[in-house]
Amino acid sequence: METNVEIQSVDELPNLDISESVTEFTGTSGKYYAHEFGRVQESSSGYCWTFNLGSALFGPLWATARGLWGLFWVFSVLELIVIVMIGLGSWGDLGSDQFARAEKLAGNYERMMDRVESAIEQGDEEGAASFRKRADGLLKAQEKALAQAKEAEAGATRIFVAGLILLVLVKVFEGLVANIAYERQYTRWRTDKKVRSGFNWSNGILGAVIVSFVYVVTLMRFTSGNPPEIITEFPIDNTIYLQISAWIDYWFDIASRNFAFLFLGISRTIRIILDGVETLLVGTPWPVVMVVIIIFAYRSAGPRVAIFTAAALCYLAVFGFWQKSMATVALLGTASFLCIAIGIPLGVWFARSQRAYAFARPVLDLMQTLPSFVYLIPIIAFFGTGKPPGILASMIFGLPPIIRLTALGIREVPKDVVEAARAFGATDMQILRGIEVPLATPSIMAGVNQTIMMCLSLVVIAALIDAKGLGYDVLVALQYAAKGQGILAGIAILFCAIVIDRVVQGRFKDTEKGG
């Protein structure tokens, strides 16, 4: 005969005596905490009215001694805010900045009045009137600064009282949340004895040191009329900066001279591909290009996308963006083609070699996170300006997605399928072409789409290094604050992005259906 016994947790048995366990966990005041933890566990929501006087009095120090470091930082920040308010209200020089400004304006006023007297002595009535008008403006500014300074001084009492009230509220808050947070830690400790437990004096002392340092330095910064310079400004030595920058310049110059043939070869290769694409898109009569694009959109993504594509192309043509748009698409197509041609093989390699991927991962992270204006510097240093460097800049930004998503797709192919194919005698190339790539196609196509979009996002930045295209119109609009021209050019870039995205997605869906 079998008996089904439902095992319940301590949370589900509020009447269970947990005093011994809580005493072991807390180390001190076990009876008090056992009672409070029991009340918290009896509450259906996990929250109840419980107040910890030790936490209310000592706040961050209690939290560190009990191992609640997250609570320590919350308490410290809240207390720091109210202590700064109290310091500003009691001894802080609130109107010092305005008084200093008023004093400076007074000096300017006196100098301007001297110029008035000098102009009167010289018989220059018009000049004297002009100088007097300026002096009156300075006098009004001085009076306004003095009024603001006095107003700031008068508000010191209000800030002090508000700080005291907030301090009381913060202390009440610290007392209310302490037992609830400590009970959560106790619950984790029951299943994992590595969780901090007991009352640790060394942690409490460490918390006191941290709090004392932070509070004192912050009060000196915000409540002192003339804080020490070491607090407001980091002590630096520009010598190290200048030496390292000169060293970087030296090696950049050496690399650009010794490997000029390599950089020139890369630029020429990109130029050959770009010239072919530009000849196809820009050199071909525009009606032919428009019809072909619309038909391709219809075949890839359906009639709705084809209609939108036709409307977008008409917008580009009517507003005079046709050639620049085709030049932009040529730049994008070249960059995307090179990214896909390089990225997919690298993704396959990284999927099969964990060591190679571990080495490449920080490089990919750097390519994605480094600000684009920063990596334009080595590109200009090695390749100069123009369209090929613009394509290289787009490639740096667009390569990581296709590499990462290709590697991810290959890794997610079921291992049993690969092993079954290998058991039937399939070679690595046959497995790659017949199993891994088809199964990883959704991930690879997502990478292709992301690469195209990220390359397109570099259009405006590439215009900074003379890559032309639609980005140049946006750049000129920014320089001359031509709002209308900038918005129209931005909409043209948007339409190019939407058309390319919809066509690629439609092509991908057709591939999925065909598979």
Side-chain angles (χ1 to χ4, degrees):
M1 181 176 178
E2 296 182 358
T3 304
N4 294 326
V5 179
E6 183 180 358
I7 300 177
Q8 294 178 304
S9 64
V10 175
D11 291 337
E12 297 171 333
L13 297 174
N15 295 324
L16 184 65
D17 186 7
I18 58 173
S19 300
E20 185 176 346
S21 174
V22 172
T23 301
E24 181 185 357
F25 168 72
T26 60
T28 58
S29 306
K31 186 176 181 180
Y32 165 77
Y33 284 111
H35 178 265
E36 297 301 317
F37 288 178
R39 292 182 59 213
V40 173
Q41 292 174 1
E42 289 176 4
S43 174
S44 58
S45 63
Y47 297 92
C48 67
W49 179 264
T50 173
F51 191 83
N52 189 309
L53 183 60
S55 175
L57 293 176
F58 301 104
L61 306 186
W62 176 89
T64 52
R66 291 298 182 181
L68 298 168
W69 283 95
L71 214 58
F72 162 78
W73 293 113
V74 174
F75 289 173
S76 299
V77 171
L78 293 176
E79 288 190 3
L80 180 61
I81 293 173
V82 297
I83 288 175
V84 169
M85 291 179 63
I86 293 173
L88 285 172
S90 57
W91 68 81
D93 194 359
L94 294 177
S96 59
D97 293 339
Q98 294 300 328
F99 277 122
R101 183 169 178 268
E103 185 177 353
K104 184 178 179 180
L105 290 170
N108 293 337
Y109 172 77
E110 292 177 0
R111 286 190 291 270
M112 191 61 64
M113 290 302 298
D114 292 339
R115 298 181 69 176
V116 171
E117 294 177 0
S118 176
I120 293 175
E121 292 176 356
Q122 296 176 3
D124 185 4
E125 295 295 334
E126 185 176 350
S130 176
F131 291 141
R132 188 179 298 279
K133 185 176 181 180
R134 298 180 186 178
D136 292 341
L138 291 172
L139 183 61
K140 291 180 180 178
Q142 178 192 3
E143 292 174 352
K144 183 178 180 180
L146 287 173
Q148 290 176 347
K150 292 178 181 178
E151 183 180 355
E153 283 187 334
T157 303
R158 293 195 299 270
I159 294 176
F160 178 77
V161 173
L164 289 178
I165 295 173
L166 287 177
L167 180 61
V168 173
L169 294 177
V170 167
K171 288 299 181 181
V172 171
F173 170 76
E174 291 174 352
L176 291 174
V177 303
N179 288 335
I180 297 174
Y182 203 28
E183 192 276 334
R184 300 288 188 273
Q185 182 163 308
Y186 165 67
T187 302
R188 294 194 302 271
W189 173 82
R190 288 185 316 199
T191 56
D192 183 8
K193 298 301 180 181
K194 294 181 181 179
V195 174
R196 293 185 180 92
S197 61
F199 189 91
N200 193 316
W201 282 101
S202 60
N203 281 348
I205 294 172
L206 176 62
V209 172
I210 295 174
V211 166
S212 300
F213 173 77
V214 172
Y215 287 7
V216 170
V217 173
T218 306
L219 285 172
M220 290 175 63
R221 171 63 181 87
F222 288 103
T223 62
S224 175
N226 187 21
E229 186 177 350
I230 193 172
I231 295 178
T232 58
E233 296 183 10
F234 189 86
I236 58 174
D237 184 4
N238 286 330
T239 304
I240 300 176
Y241 167 77
L242 294 174
Q243 289 176 349
I244 295 178
S245 61
W247 179 79
I248 294 174
D249 291 340
Y250 171 76
W251 284 106
F252 262 82
D253 293 339
I254 290 180
S256 61
R257 287 196 303 266
N258 295 339
F259 297 97
F261 67 95
L262 176 62
F263 302 136
L264 182 60
I266 294 174
S267 296
R268 286 179 176 175
T269 302
I270 295 175
R271 171 62 68 178
I272 292 172
I273 300 174
L274 179 61
D275 288 344
V277 179
E278 281 190 340
T279 301
L280 182 64
L281 294 175
V282 181
T284 305
W286 69 267
V288 176
V289 176
M290 181 178 288
V291 170
V292 170
I293 292 176
I294 294 173
I295 292 175
F296 184 73
Y298 175 77
R299 298 279 297 176
S300 299
R304 292 184 180 179
V305 175
I307 293 172
F308 176 81
T309 301
L313 294 177
C314 289
Y315 174 89
L316 300 177
V318 170
F319 285 94
F321 293 124
W322 180 263
Q323 289 189 347
K324 293 179 180 179
S325 299
M326 294 302 105
T328 298
V329 174
L331 287 170
L332 171 64
T334 303
S336 302
F337 170 77
L338 292 174
C339 284
I340 293 169
I342 296 172
I344 291 179
L346 286 177
V348 173
W349 180 32
F350 294 155
R352 293 187 170 184
S353 175
Q354 188 63 33
R355 181 177 298 178
Y357 188 60
F359 175 79
R361 186 181 299 166
V363 178
L364 296 175
D365 293 338
L366 181 68
M367 292 169 67
Q368 283 189 293
T369 57
L370 191 68
S372 53
F373 290 101
V374 176
Y375 62 66
L376 286 179
I377 296 173
I379 287 178
I380 295 174
F382 295 144
F383 299 96
T385 58
K387 292 183 178 180
I391 291 174
L392 287 170
S394 300
M395 289 177 60
I396 292 175
F397 202 55
L399 259 176
I402 185 64
I403 293 176
R404 290 181 184 275
L405 289 172
T406 299
L408 178 64
I410 297 295
R411 280 203 210 95
E412 289 183 343
V413 173
K415 300 298 182 184
D416 53 350
V417 177
V418 176
E419 292 300 328
R422 186 169 285 112
F424 280 99
T427 64
D428 288 343
M429 184 57 65
Q430 289 173 332
I431 292 173
L432 176 64
R433 294 177 58 186
I435 297 176
E436 292 180 331
V437 170
L439 292 178
T441 296
S443 181
I444 295 174
M445 290 303 298
V448 170
N449 182 264
Q450 288 295 311
T451 293
I452 293 173
M453 292 298 104
M454 296 185 81
C455 288
L456 185 61
S457 67
L458 264 289
V459 167
V460 178
I461 296 175
L464 292 171
I465 55 177
D466 200 30
K468 303 298 182 182
L470 290 171
Y472 182 75
D473 287 21
V474 177
L475 183 62
V476 171
L478 287 172
Q479 290 176 341
Y480 296 100
K483 299 176 283 296
Q485 296 178 16
I487 291 174
L488 292 176
I491 293 174
I493 296 175
L494 173 66
F495 281 161
C496 290
I498 294 175
V499 169
I500 294 172
D501 179 65
R502 295 297 183 269
V503 170
V504 171
Q505 287 187 7
R507 197 68 181 172
F508 167 57
K509 291 177 181 178
D510 285 347
T511 303
E512 279 188 319
K513 292 177 181 178

